[in-house]
Amino acid sequence: MLLFLLCIDAVAAQQVVRSYRADVALDIDTQGHVARATPPDDLPAMFAGSIQQAVAHWQFKPVMKDGVAVTARTYERIKFEILQQGPDKYGVRVVPLSNGPSLAFTKALKYPADMMRARTEASMRIEATAQPDGSVTNVRVSDIKVSGKLAGGPGHSMAVFERAAREAMQALQAKPEWIDGRPVATTFSMPFSYGLMAITGDGGSATGSAVGAAR
């Protein structure tokens, strides 16, 4: 994973009215500068100029291969915040979150039905390897924490959520990082959680979601 060294200065606190996240492809030259930033096709056009202004200030540690600095490509997870700066006046703040391979789930993730009925939640950390062909292998689950009513006891709940998380990772597709013009395998770490959102009232129900973000 490429090492991100420098970020733009923080903008003074302003009211955030909306935020949007996207993975932006960054081509890094042999000096560690961003030579090109390519946003995803579905990124709103209003953010394009903000990306170019931000990356001009970013610096990465140059990638070395056989003692020689080479070009590279990584994906930066960016949060775009729309800021209200005054009456009818808005601006955009670009907040870099993490970099590495770009990760996306190819199908909806499922909350374990028995855990949802018991109103049990969980969080964990997952480590895995994004392969050059975009597959994800070597999945490792750690630091599982469960809360709420623990159906079958904590051990059973942890096992159910770990199994569900491993199944979810099978639906993960990666865009790998590149070094010297070729895709490479990259180990990444990501938080992963299952949380319930209650709907109050007669016949109340709950929905669950599992979300992950690369670090």
Side-chain angles (χ1 to χ4, degrees), residues 1-199:
M1 187 175 297
L2 300 187
L3 180 60
F4 189 36
L5 297 179
L6 182 66
C7 173
I8 59 174
D9 293 336
V11 178
Q14 301 174 68
Q15 182 180 1
V16 178
V17 296
R18 183 172 297 180
S19 63
Y20 186 94
R21 297 191 182 197
D23 288 352
V24 177
L26 301 180
D27 291 312
I28 314 301
D29 65 19
T30 55
Q31 284 75 48
H33 302 134
V34 179
R36 183 174 61 180
T38 306
D41 294 336
D42 60 351
L43 184 71
M46 65 179 295
F47 297 131
S50 299
I51 292 175
Q52 301 306 323
Q53 293 177 13
V55 300
H57 301 272
W58 293 358
Q59 178 73 39
F60 287 79
K61 183 177 180 180
V63 175
M64 306 300 292
K65 182 178 180 182
D66 298 327
V68 178
V70 296
T71 60
R73 171 179 290 178
T74 189
Y75 292 86
E76 183 74 31
R77 172 63 57 89
I78 293 175
K79 179 169 67 173
F80 300 89
E81 296 179 336
I82 300 177
L83 307 172
Q84 185 168 10
Q85 300 174 326
D88 300 322
K89 183 180 180 181
Y90 297 88
V92 175
R93 176 164 56 197
V94 176
V95 182
L97 300 177
S98 61
N99 72 279
S102 177
L103 306 172
F105 290 102
T106 58
K107 62 182 180 181
L109 306 180
K110 296 181 179 180
Y111 203 111
D114 53 345
M115 295 294 107
M116 183 181 292
R117 286 192 296 268
R119 304 193 59 76
T120 308
E121 299 179 317
S123 64
M124 65 200 75
R125 179 156 294 280
I126 294 179
E127 293 184 356
T129 303
Q131 298 292 345
D133 64 359
S135 62
V136 175
T137 62
N138 304 326
V139 176
R140 300 174 297 280
V141 181
S142 63
D143 298 330
I144 301 179
K145 297 180 178 62
V146 292
S147 60
K149 183 179 179 181
L150 305 183
H156 173 74
S157 298
M158 289 180 183
V160 170
F161 279 116
E162 178 176 354
R163 183 167 60 251
R166 289 183 178 277
E167 291 175 355
M169 293 299 288
Q170 296 176 7
L172 194 62
Q173 183 72 22
K175 293 180 181 178
E177 291 189 301
W178 290 59
I179 292 178
D180 198 20
R182 307 185 72 169
V184 296
T186 305
T187 298
F188 62 89
S189 175
M190 60 189 287
F192 202 87
S193 62
Y194 289 88
L196 293 164
M197 181 175 60
I199 303 175

Side-chain angles (χ1 to χ4, degrees), residues 119 198-206:
R119 304 193 59 76
I199 303 175
T200 59
D202 293 339
S205 60

